[in-house]
Amino acid sequence: MSGKNGSVKLVAGNSNPALARDIADWLRMPLTKASVRRFADMEIFVEIQENVRGSDVFIIQSTSFPTNDHLMELLIITDALRRASARRITAVIPYFGYARQDRKAGPRTPISAKLVANLITHAGADRVMTLDLHAGQIQGFFDIPTDNLYASPVMVRDIKDRFDLSKVAVVSPDVGGVVRARGLAKRINAPLAIIDKRRERAGESEVMNVIGDVEGYTCILIDDIVDSGGTLVNAADALLANGAKDVYAYITHGVLSGGACARINASKLKELVITDSIQPTDAVCNAANIRTLSIASLIADAIGRTASEESVSSLFD
Ligand code: R5P
């Protein structure tokens, strides 16, 4: 494949080889031969085994668990490509780790998302492409062009195939996620409800108030990240206590740390649907009520459009 900026190359780190292969298949092009391996002391060593001089190169690497290793791989691959005279380097980061540390949460705490943005830029990336950033404003942490893609078209297609939309309500599991949930509700013309978590007094347990009517509805929770699963499981309980018929969840990034899969399996959630922005572990693949949708074609489309200098935002019209 060749774009407006010379030949196009795809380079994969070790975070999500399955997604990288699927993206390459959609684009009908091979992954660039590269070796990303460890020395005995676990230092990372990268060798790009093809000529990339003058090429428009896309590195596919989520900064997912183990976050620091995958971030460091991304930085070192970028450095190797820059020194190999790639014309343009785009860091394609389907899951952008550290995004939740996007502000000073207290005195003397870091803004790690900004630090990570600086590291990626200084390593030599010319552009960044990512998916459902925890907060859209993180784009402003980069002084290079940053495309924040949305998984919603993939989710909406699946929701339309599976549900009777006249009986569906979309729910944001917290006040911070309202914009994201409202966007999806609009696309399927469904009502919106919000879960408002409150701790009235210090030491008292959190109360989950459901704002909006969910009685008799199939509720679909929308969020960017499921990590421990606590937010989802509590939200499902609150919705059922408020008369919801059943509860599903569509979440872009399945971080699913520790015992999250077991927690979700034992919960009242009918099904959790995630994407493959993070490579699913065996626990995810074996969980009876977790299903994965692929975002490979979406990312492949965005890469193709970037390479040929076409509009990326029109993917979401
Ligand atoms: C928080 O603002 C995020 O959008 C998610 O709701 C949160 O990261 C989920 O975490 P957990 O699954 O651990 O409750």
Side-chain angles (χ1 to χ4, degrees):
M1 179 175 172
S2 120
K4 279 206 172 162
N5 295 289
S7 70
V8 177
K9 302 269 185 188
L10 296 180
V11 176
N14 285 316
S15 69
N16 198 336
L19 177 65
R21 272 194 307 273
D22 289 348
I23 291 172
D25 286 350
W26 276 100
L27 288 167
R28 295 172 196 272
M29 59 185 292
L31 290 169
T32 296
K33 288 193 188 68
S35 162
V36 182
R37 55 182 196 272
R38 300 281 185 277
F39 286 125
D41 63 354
M42 297 309 280
E43 277 185 11
I44 295 161
F45 176 70
V46 171
E47 190 180 7
I48 310 293
Q49 293 159 335
E50 286 178 32
N51 178 23
V52 292
R53 199 175 281 272
S55 298
D56 190 8
V57 187
F58 294 81
I59 308 168
I60 302 164
Q61 177 80 329
S62 279
T63 47
S64 51
F65 177 85
T67 308
N68 300 333
D69 282 0
H70 287 151
L71 172 62
M72 202 63 202
E73 271 189 13
L74 172 64
L75 300 176
I76 295 177
I77 295 171
T78 307
D79 185 74
L81 289 167
R82 190 165 55 91
R83 292 176 196 285
S85 304
R87 185 189 307 273
R88 183 170 75 168
I89 301 169
T90 303
V92 180
I93 312 170
Y95 172 67
F96 185 84
Y98 282 107
R100 285 173 285 181
Q101 297 185 48
D102 59 352
R103 64 194 179 286
K104 278 190 77 167
R108 296 172 297 283
T109 57
I111 305 181
S112 306
K114 169 63 179 156
L115 171 65
V116 169
N118 286 346
L119 291 171
I120 292 169
T121 309
H122 288 298
D126 298 294
R127 314 181 52 94
V128 168
M129 183 184 290
T130 185
L131 178 77
D132 280 336
L133 269 176
H134 178 62
Q137 305 89 295
I138 293 172
Q139 286 170 97
F141 291 180
F142 290 94
D143 283 330
I144 51 177
T146 302
D147 288 307
N148 181 26
L149 311 179
Y150 304 103
S152 51
V154 177
M155 293 180 174
V156 163
R157 219 174 297 136
D158 193 73
I159 291 170
K160 282 185 172 165
D161 281 351
R162 300 195 61 220
F163 298 98
D164 172 358
L165 295 185
S166 65
K167 300 189 171 113
V168 163
V170 170
V171 184
S172 173
D174 53 36
V175 174
V178 172
V179 173
R180 184 177 297 112
R182 191 194 294 132
L184 197 132
K186 220 169 133 190
R187 278 170 172 265
I188 60 170
N189 205 14
L192 175 71
I194 301 161
I195 297 185
D196 172 41
K197 288 183 278 189
R198 261 177 213 209
R199 206 183 296 276
E200 295 296 346
R201 270 170 286 276
E204 282 185 5
S205 63
E206 234 170 23
V207 181
M208 316 272 284
N209 297 309
V210 178
I211 305 171
D213 181 20
V214 295
E215 181 137 20
Y217 278 99
T218 287
C219 289
I220 300 185
L221 286 156
I222 301 293
D223 209 349
D224 60 328
I225 294 172
V226 48
D227 189 348
S228 69
T231 303
L232 274 192
V233 170
N234 293 338
D237 288 346
L239 291 168
L240 292 167
N242 278 264
K245 182 167 165 272
D246 40 26
V247 184
Y248 293 77
Y250 280 70
I251 315 285
T252 307
H253 307 296
V255 174
L256 297 168
S257 315
C261 288
R263 189 169 299 119
I264 285 158
N265 227 351
S267 77
K268 293 176 186 149
L269 261 184
K270 272 258 161 102
E271 188 179 54
L272 162 63
V273 180
I274 54 175
T275 78
D276 55 357
S277 65
I278 296 173
Q279 185 146 299
T281 58
D282 288 348
V284 174
C285 298
N286 296 332
N289 62 348
I290 304 182
R291 188 160 59 90
T292 306
L293 297 176
S294 182
I295 38 111
S297 66
L298 178 82
I299 293 190
D301 257 357
I303 289 176
R305 284 166 186 248
T306 303
S308 53
E309 307 289 0
E310 287 170 61
S311 162
V312 168
S313 65
S314 56
L315 272 175
F316 305 100
D317 290 342

